[in-house]
């Protein structure tokens, strides 16, 4: 019995996968997909290629998946911090300046900055440290002319590490201000 | 027989003496083996410097106690359901106390119960015991209505040298409550010897990720790790629980409605209530002793400060005012002070202030990172997470002498919390990638790990004794 069904279900899966990829292509349409060319991330290149296919498929889905897609595309670069520090590092300023430019261009976009910490500090203090980091990023963007009202902050302390591991490489990745687009 | 017949009960190392002397401050008498009240030893004068060191309780004189399994009707079902859990609980409770040393069961005499004659007494003394806790268990279950019966446990504490019965008690409860009966008996024994009940009926709430899906929920359990149960069902990140002093409520931080909020839930579960707040961050809730207020770490414009608020969200008040990080408030047991952590002078250190926010002073100076203060029940000591280099350890600061003791020395150790009687400290210990909750004496001796499923962190011990 199982052997009979398996190829069939595989075919179905394949068909479904095709459909879903097609659907994903539709998503950029109402969003700011043209913006794609402007933004500096490498993730954009495949998007324009698929735009032709897009026309073939009727567009239904509104805002929500677009934001998801925008976040996946990674237009906004995360910021990294030194151990037990919340000051924006000099080497992180260029990235923030690029983020600010993007935010100026797409001025309907609202964002959330998440403050994260590495695992070494105490959980409770890190909660406060993450708040400081998120807030430092917000303040820096505001100093570059971004309306602070577009930026909300949240701290996750050391609760949501990006990278597993107990070494400086992992820790450095986990001390970050992470950008999430919440509205466009 | 090695046991000291009339030696002082409490001739201990200075630190242990200091701990036990807090009982003396209460005016509670301690009984010697003869049932006489003896004055407590004086606290040894502390050495002048603020030195971290580990003191073990080896060499302390403990009272040798024999706890044979309860006498019960011969019935395998009864044995597994009642007699074994009763015995396990009783020996676990009393064996955890610094007061007792349990006599070796392999040396117990056959029979010799009840212990009435000199010969019988000597047979027990030969096993190294000085006292015998003799128990009997019966189930008053009628055949017509199985499952409706009551457990009756009868206990007698016998001084084997005089053959006098020092304590005689009878306990009744449902079969499901057999562990509770054992805890109650253990508390009565603790009261007999130390003047106050042990922590055996208290609860520990904690955070667990065992439900998976990157969620953390608030759980609670008995002090020995039995009866673990989930209290919250947010399927979100719920963190940093704190018991109200009367044991009825638990406050915690949760992201279950998006931004972080402070919630209060009954300690036996039920619906959680959010404390309405205009601040963000909203971490580290700590109940005031009267249960009316909650201190917490909140943020306005991205700057974490210590706030207090009524449990209904009214009277929000900011206590600290510093551009630095202020976090992790802990209300003192007398309600007059709040400990918190701040990096206002560099690294994270622990400070004390009045409950109104005035009179801020730093109280930890050693090490590079100190946080997560926990007041002992009498308020005279502070346990906290301390680090100089490497992993965090647990330290205990004696607020009267200013001396600090490091009580752990392996793995990473964080988030200490005192048992309501001050006889134990629980904390989270991480070894490799696994974090679990451990319980030990305040000097770090007698450590046991009491959780195993998933990662379990942030223990908070209930503060009421029953």
């Amino acid at each position: 019995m199982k052997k009979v069904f398996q190829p069939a279900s595989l075919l179905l899966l394949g068909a479904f996968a095709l459909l879903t990829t097609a659907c994903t292509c539709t998503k950029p349409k109402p969003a700011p997909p043209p913006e794609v060319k402007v933004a500096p991330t490498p993730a954009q290149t495949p998007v324009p290629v698929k735009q032709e296919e897009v026309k073939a498929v009727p567009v239904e889905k509104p805002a929500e998946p677009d934001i998801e897609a925008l976040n996946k595309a990674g237009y906004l670069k995360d910021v990294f911090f030194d151990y037990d520090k919340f000051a924006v590092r000099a080497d992180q300023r260029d990235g923030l300046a690029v983020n600010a430019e993007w935010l100026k261009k797409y001025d309907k976009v609202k964002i959330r900055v998440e403050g994260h910490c590495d695992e070494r500090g105490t959980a409770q203090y890190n909660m406060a440290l993450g708040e400081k980091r998120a807030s430092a990023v917000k303040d820096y963007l505001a100093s570059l002319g971004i309306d602070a009202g577009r930026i909300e902050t949240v701290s996750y302390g050391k609760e949501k590490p990006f990278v597993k591991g107990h070494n400086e490489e992992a820790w450095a990745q986990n001390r970050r201000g992470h950008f999430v687009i919440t509205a466009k | 027989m090695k046991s000291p017949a009339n030696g002082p009960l409490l001739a201990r190392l200075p630190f242990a003496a200091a701990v036990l002397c807090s009982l003396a401050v209460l005016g509670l008498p301690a009984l010697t083996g003869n049932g006489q009240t003896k004055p407590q030893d004086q606290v040894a004068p502390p050495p002048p410097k603020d030195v971290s060191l580990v003191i073990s309780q080896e060499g302390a004189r403990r009272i040798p106690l024999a706890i044979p399994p309860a006498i019960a009707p011969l019935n395998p079902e009864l044995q597994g359901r009642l007699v074994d859990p009763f015995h396990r609980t009783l020996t676990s409770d009393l064996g955890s106390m610094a007061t007792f040393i349990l006599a070796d069961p392999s040396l117990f005499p056959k029979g010799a119960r009840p212990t009435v004659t000199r010969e019988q007494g000597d047979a027990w003394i030969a096993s190294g015991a000085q006292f015998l806790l003799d128990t009997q268990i019966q189930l008053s279950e009628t055949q017509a209505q199985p499952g409706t019966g009551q457990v009756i446990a009868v206990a007698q504490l016998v001084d084997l040298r005089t053959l006098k019965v020092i304590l005689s008690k009878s306990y009744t409860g449902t079969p499901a409550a057999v562990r509770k009966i054992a805890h109650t008996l253990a508390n009565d024994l603790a009261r007999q010897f130390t003047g106050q009940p042990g922590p055996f009926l208290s609860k520990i709430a904690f955070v667990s990720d065992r439900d998976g899906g990157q969620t953390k929920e608030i759980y609670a359990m008995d002090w020995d790790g039995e009866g673990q149960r989930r209290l919250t069902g947010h399927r979100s990140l719920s963190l940093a629980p704190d018991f109200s002093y009367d044991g009825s409520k638990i406050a915690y931080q949760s992201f279950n409605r998006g931004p972080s909020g402070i919630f209060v839930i009954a300690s036996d579960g039920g619906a959680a209530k959010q404390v309405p707040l205009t601040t963000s961050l909203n971490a580290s809730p700590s109940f005031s002793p009267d249960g009316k207020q909650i201190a917490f770490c909140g943020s306005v414009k991205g700057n974490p400060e210590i706030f207090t608020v009524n449990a209904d969200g009214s009277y929000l008040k900011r206590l600290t005012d510093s551009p630095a990080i202020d976090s992790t408030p802990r209300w003192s047991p007398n309600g007059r002070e709040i400990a918190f952590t701040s990096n206002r002078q560099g690294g994270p250190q622990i400070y004390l202030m009045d409950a109104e926010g005035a009179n801020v002073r730093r109280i930890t100076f050693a090490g590079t990172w100190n946080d997560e203060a926990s007041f002992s029940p009498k308020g005279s000591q502070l346990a906290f997470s301390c680090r100089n280099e490497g992993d965090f350890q647990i330290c205990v600061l004696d607020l009267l002498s200013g001396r600090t003791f490091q009580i752990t020395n392996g793995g990473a150790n964080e988030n200490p919390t005192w048992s309501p009687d001050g006889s134990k400290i629980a904390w989270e210990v991480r070894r490799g990638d696994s974090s679990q909750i451990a319980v030990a004496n305040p000097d770090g001796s007698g450590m046991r790990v009491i959780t195993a499923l998933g990662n379990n962190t942030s223990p908070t011990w209930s503060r009421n004794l029953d």
Side-chain angles (χ1 to χ4, degrees):
Chain A
M1 285 286 277
K2 271 181 185 171
K3 277 177 187 169
V4 180
F5 279 124
Q6 259 180 357
S9 46
L10 272 176
L11 269 175
L12 274 172
L13 263 177
F16 181 71
L18 273 174
L19 274 172
T20 31
T21 32
C23 281
T24 337
C25 302
T26 71
K27 285 172 192 167
K29 212 185 176 181
E35 301 153 6
V36 157
K37 289 160 196 160
V38 196
T41 25
Q44 313 132 358
T45 9
V47 187
V49 181
K50 290 176 190 164
Q51 272 181 326
E52 293 155 11
E53 304 163 35
V54 161
K55 287 161 195 162
V57 192
V59 184
E60 285 155 345
K61 303 214 166 174
E64 289 298 313
D66 294 326
I67 286 175
E68 210 176 289
L70 281 175
N71 278 316
K72 271 190 185 156
Y75 293 109
L76 296 168
K77 293 295 178 202
D78 286 356
V79 191
F80 296 90
F81 292 87
D82 283 337
Y83 172 67
D84 191 25
K85 294 285 186 291
F86 50 82
V88 174
R89 247 162 40 193
D91 67 343
Q92 301 296 305
R93 288 179 191 157
D94 288 351
L96 277 175
V98 174
N99 287 354
E101 285 310 308
W102 193 87
L103 287 168
K104 277 179 192 164
K105 191 152 282 174
Y106 305 110
D107 58 2
K108 296 283 190 313
V109 168
K110 289 190 173 177
I111 58 167
R112 180 172 65 238
V113 182
E114 299 176 355
H116 294 271
C117 306
D118 74 32
E119 63 175 3
R120 285 176 296 170
T122 39
Q124 295 301 298
Y125 179 88
N126 272 351
M127 221 23 111
L129 179 60
E131 177 85 358
K132 276 284 200 186
R133 285 180 177 163
S135 153
V137 172
K138 176 180 177 173
D139 291 349
Y140 193 82
L141 288 176
S143 77
L144 296 177
I146 307 301
D147 176 10
R150 295 167 64 194
I151 310 168
E152 60 176 276
T153 57
V154 65
S155 170
Y156 287 114
K158 62 172 176 179
E159 298 296 330
K160 292 185 168 187
F162 285 74
V163 179
K164 300 260 180 228
H166 312 296
N167 49 48
E168 179 50 39
E169 206 181 351
W171 295 330
Q173 284 292 306
N174 291 333
R175 296 188 299 263
R176 73 165 81 192
H178 176 58
F179 285 91
V180 179
I181 296 169
T182 55
K184 63 174 195 66
Chain B
M1 194 198 84
K2 283 174 270 172
S3 58
N6 285 303
L9 274 187
L10 301 164
R12 288 162 194 276
L13 291 170
F15 178 56
V19 173
L20 286 157
C21 266
S22 58
L23 308 182
V25 174
L26 264 185
L28 295 170
L31 293 180
T32 66
N34 297 330
Q36 300 163 335
T37 307
K38 249 198 145 218
Q40 300 278 336
D41 294 357
Q42 293 297 307
V43 186
K49 280 200 168 179
D50 185 23
V51 193
S52 294
L53 51 123
V54 180
I55 293 190
S56 101
Q57 206 145 16
E58 290 304 314
R61 290 222 183 105
R62 296 166 144 201
I63 302 162
L65 173 69
I67 313 177
I71 292 170
L74 208 57
N75 173 341
E77 198 259 339
L78 212 63
Q79 189 75 26
R81 202 167 122 222
L82 299 176
V83 181
D84 289 346
F86 181 81
H87 187 65
R88 268 203 310 275
T89 307
L90 201 54
T91 50
S92 157
D93 283 1
L94 295 171
S96 78
M97 289 182 68
T99 314
F100 300 112
I101 181 152
L102 301 191
D104 181 356
S106 69
L107 301 176
F108 288 172
K110 297 261 184 296
R113 295 164 75 184
T115 313
V116 185
T117 66
R118 186 65 266 155
E119 249 184 339
Q120 289 168 321
D122 287 344
W124 282 103
I125 285 174
S127 76
Q130 188 179 334
F131 291 87
L132 168 70
L133 181 58
D134 201 356
T135 52
Q136 290 176 43
I137 286 184
Q138 284 182 336
L139 184 62
S140 69
E141 195 164 76
T142 59
Q143 277 192 325
Q145 288 174 298
T148 59
Q150 292 278 305
V151 176
I152 301 160
V154 180
Q156 285 198 333
L157 180 69
V158 184
D159 182 339
L160 293 166
R161 290 161 308 170
T162 62
L163 297 175
K164 277 188 182 140
V165 174
I166 297 171
L167 179 138
S168 178
K169 288 226 168 188
S170 162
Y171 307 83
T172 310
T174 62
V178 69
R179 279 197 187 86
K180 191 173 180 185
I181 291 175
H183 286 315
T184 310
L185 169 56
N187 267 351
D188 285 338
L189 230 71
R191 193 183 284 110
Q192 182 77 33
F193 282 93
T194 71
Q196 68 170 1
F200 307 127
L201 285 167
S202 59
K203 312 286 181 201
I204 296 173
F206 59 102
V207 173
S208 183
D209 70 356
R210 67 185 65 179
D211 297 296
Q214 296 187 317
T215 64
K216 291 189 176 182
E217 302 281 4
I218 308 296
Y219 276 73
M221 61 186 169
D222 298 346
W223 91 275
D224 53 6
E226 294 285 339
Q228 297 185 20
R229 59 214 173 267
R230 185 161 54 78
L231 300 182
T232 58
H234 296 314
R235 293 177 188 175
S236 173
L237 273 181
S238 296
L239 308 163
D242 182 57
F243 260 107
S244 65
Y245 275 69
D246 67 358
S248 69
K249 292 188 281 279
I250 293 168
Y252 59 98
Q253 175 193 9
S254 180
F255 291 85
N256 79 77
R257 293 193 186 151
S260 169
I262 288 173
F263 292 77
V264 176
I265 193 169
S267 53
D268 54 359
K273 262 181 140 175
Q274 184 168 10
V275 179
L277 290 170
T278 52
T279 47
S280 59
L281 184 53
N282 305 330
S284 313
S286 170
F287 272 109
S288 64
D290 64 8
K292 289 178 183 160
Q293 293 180 83
I294 294 171
F296 67 99
C297 175
S299 153
V300 176
K301 293 181 182 166
N303 184 30
E305 302 277 14
I306 308 304
F307 290 80
T308 54
V309 69
N310 284 357
D312 62 3
S314 63
Y315 293 101
L316 179 71
K317 187 183 171 194
R318 196 191 70 221
L319 300 191
T320 56
D321 184 9
S322 157
I325 288 173
D326 294 314
S327 75
T328 332
R330 299 291 162 86
W331 220 304
S332 77
N334 66 12
R336 291 200 292 268
E337 290 173 319
I338 291 173
F340 67 102
T341 302
S342 178
N343 71 343
R344 58 184 64 192
Q345 290 177 307
Q349 296 289 344
I350 297 169
Y351 292 74
L352 216 51
M353 64 182 166
D354 301 347
E356 292 77 32
N359 197 15
V360 176
R361 65 268 189 205
R362 181 172 165 180
I363 53 170
T364 59
F365 297 92
T368 55
W369 193 313
N370 296 307
D371 188 19
E372 300 170 334
S374 171
F375 281 98
S376 66
K378 307 285 173 274
S380 58
Q381 291 178 300
L382 207 64
F384 57 99
S385 309
C386 58
R387 183 169 73 194
N388 196 3
E389 51 188 27
D391 288 317
F392 277 100
Q393 301 298 334
I394 304 301
C395 283
V396 175
L397 165 64
D398 187 296
L399 290 166
L400 302 175
S401 68
R403 288 184 69 199
T404 300
F405 303 86
Q406 183 182 317
I407 67 163
T408 59
N409 212 355
N413 302 275
E414 274 186 55
N415 265 317
T417 176
W418 292 80
S419 71
D421 64 334
S423 74
K424 304 255 181 290
I425 295 177
W427 71 92
E428 67 186 60
V429 55
R430 178 167 59 77
R431 286 171 181 156
D433 278 331
S434 168
S435 289
Q436 300 301 340
I437 292 167
V439 174
N441 297 320
D443 63 0
S445 66
M447 177 179 143
R448 357 165 141 182
V449 174
I450 58 169
T451 57
L453 197 59
N455 289 294
N456 302 289
T457 56
S458 301
T460 170
W461 212 315
S462 67
R463 297 175 173 104
N464 52 319
L465 282 166
D466 36 34

